[in-house]
Amino acid sequence: MAYPFQLGFQDATSPIMEELLHFHDHTLMIVFLISSLVLYIISLMLTTKLTHTSTMDAQEVETIWTILPAIILILIALPSLRILYMMDEINNPSLTVKTMGHQWYWSYEYTDYEDLNFDSYMIPTQDLKPGELRLLEVDNRVVLPMEMTIRMLISSEDVLHSWAVPSLGLKTDAIPGRLNQTTLMGTRPGLYYGQCSEICGSNHSFMPIVLELVPLTYFEKWSVSML
């Protein structure tokens, strides 16, 4: 999860988030190069009075500053489209979890099991135990097996919500009357925190999401104990 005064992204926990981090670094380098070039040209224009008349009217220069931005946009667009298609890909999910947004809590249903569902409420500050995080802990965590493809079906029963877990690269809107889906696959065990990312009313800030990724054997024991 994020730490105080953090400037960058959270550590990636899924292959999609790793791709997003690489794409961010790739795009940021292009922005740095363009900014450096523009600042260098501006500084030259401000510090020298020399002009080159043939350069000012040259067709070659106009051709370059037309084609070069187009090439840069292609270098940004191609990896971006690749990641978009990867995020929409559904590869034989091993487990399906339906998530419903409410004012102001989440409810989860494991559709592959006959009667495995629960509500997830934020733990009030006065009930927190030592070491637990304020405004982020919940009474029922979403336990999922790691290194398996999991499909999340996301919707809402009242207003717009958004189910977001930054370290997994997930952010999907929960819309009343519409079922959105996304996939996730955690590469290591641990607790991963998120929050509702769509303003949904007075208690919008109190809808945390906690995913607990565990090995498959532990998940099977947990699912049996919940039934």
Side-chain angles (χ1 to χ4, degrees):
M1 62 170 294
Y3 55 84
F5 303 106
Q6 180 175 343
L7 296 179
F9 291 100
Q10 298 182 24
D11 292 337
T13 311
S14 67
I16 291 295
M17 190 59 190
E18 290 178 3
E19 292 288 341
L20 289 171
L21 289 177
H22 292 154
F23 175 67
H24 170 266
D25 296 340
H26 165 75
T27 308
L28 199 60
M29 286 306 301
I30 294 176
V31 172
F32 281 155
L33 290 174
I34 294 173
S35 301
S36 301
L37 178 62
V38 171
L39 288 174
Y40 174 69
I41 293 174
I42 290 175
S43 63
L44 283 183
M45 293 176 64
L46 294 176
T47 56
T48 181
K49 296 182 179 180
L50 299 176
T51 57
H52 198 290
T53 55
S54 62
T55 302
M56 299 295 288
D57 298 327
Q59 293 292 327
E60 293 82 1
V61 175
E62 294 186 7
T63 303
I64 291 173
W65 70 37
T66 301
I67 295 177
L68 192 59
I71 295 174
I72 293 172
L73 289 176
I74 292 173
L75 292 176
I76 295 174
L78 290 180
S80 174
L81 291 172
R82 172 177 166 269
I83 295 175
L84 283 174
Y85 278 105
M86 289 174 60
M87 294 175 71
D88 285 338
E89 193 73 25
I90 306 294
N91 292 320
N92 297 324
S94 305
L95 181 68
T96 299
V97 180
K98 185 173 73 174
T99 304
M100 297 295 292
H102 307 265
Q103 287 182 312
W104 288 271
Y105 65 96
W106 297 98
S107 61
Y108 300 94
E109 179 183 347
Y110 291 71
T111 58
D112 299 286
Y113 295 82
E114 185 174 349
D115 190 22
L116 181 52
N117 55 78
F118 53 84
D119 296 331
S120 181
Y121 290 86
M122 186 194 76
I123 298 178
T125 303
Q126 63 270 19
D127 296 335
L128 290 175
K129 298 176 182 178
E132 292 185 335
L133 302 170
R134 178 177 172 271
L135 300 183
L136 287 177
E137 296 292 348
V138 296
D139 55 356
N140 290 309
R141 296 169 176 168
V142 183
V143 180
L144 298 172
M146 55 179 285
E147 295 181 338
M148 296 179 67
T149 303
I150 300 164
R151 175 172 57 190
M152 303 296 298
L153 301 176
I154 300 167
S155 186
S156 171
E157 286 199 356
D158 37 49
V159 299
L160 292 176
H161 300 280
S162 185
W163 198 81
V165 184
S167 59
L168 289 168
L170 298 176
K171 186 179 185 296
T172 304
D173 288 341
I175 303 171
R178 177 173 177 174
L179 197 64
N180 291 329
Q181 73 174 3
T182 186
T183 57
L184 66 91
M185 184 178 69
T187 55
R188 60 178 185 269
L191 294 177
Y192 303 99
Y193 294 87
Q195 289 178 304
C196 177
S197 297
E198 188 77 44
I199 296 177
C200 55
S202 59
N203 289 334
H204 158 69
S205 302
F206 310 110
M207 289 183 63
I209 302 161
V210 183
L211 302 185
E212 184 176 353
L213 297 182
V214 297
L216 180 60
T217 53
Y218 289 92
F219 173 77
E220 291 174 343
K221 293 178 182 178
W222 172 84
S223 61
V224 170
S225 66
M226 292 290 289
L227 292 173

